[in-house]
Amino acid sequence: MELAFSGEVWFWRGPAPYHFVTVPDEQSAAIEAASASVTYGWGMIPVTVRIGDTGWRTSLWPKDGRYVVPLRVAARRAEGIELGDRVDVRLTVDV
């Protein structure tokens, strides 16, 4: 499954601080429909992410009925991504 969307970068300050982009409702619903066959537990969904010229493997996290994409520091630096930026995200759900 391949998905593309745009979203705003936000910061979560919890015990392990991280930057994220939230997957929109429509794409989250498509992921949820396929989740039973791809999750490895706790609702985590393995994906390959691409923003600009930078790609990496990670897992989507379920949050508030949608999914969020964690943004690695190296990817943010490579693409010049800052808090509040709107980014174009391409996801491939690993099956």
Side-chain angles (χ1 to χ4, degrees), residues 19 54 56 71-82:
H19 288 77
T54 305
W56 69 97
L71 303 181
R72 290 189 176 170
V73 171
R76 288 189 298 108
R77 285 183 183 149
E79 296 298 324
I81 298 169
E82 300 290 335

Side-chain angles (χ1 to χ4, degrees), residues 43-57:
M44 307 291 275
I45 307 291
V47 295
T48 301
V49 179
R50 179 161 296 279
I51 296 176
D53 293 326
T54 305
W56 69 97
R57 291 184 59 135

Side-chain angles (χ1 to χ4, degrees), residues 4-58:
F5 60 90
S6 294
E8 185 176 324
V9 176
W10 56 276
F11 182 72
W12 183 65
R13 191 167 296 192
Y18 231 90
H19 288 77
F20 294 92
V21 175
T22 301
V23 179
D25 290 336
E26 183 178 333
Q27 287 88 349
S28 285
I31 294 165
E32 178 64 27
S35 67
S37 63
V38 297
T39 188
Y40 59 85
W42 306 288
M44 307 291 275
I45 307 291
V47 295
T48 301
V49 179
R50 179 161 296 279
I51 296 176
D53 293 326
T54 305
W56 69 97
R57 291 184 59 135
T58 189

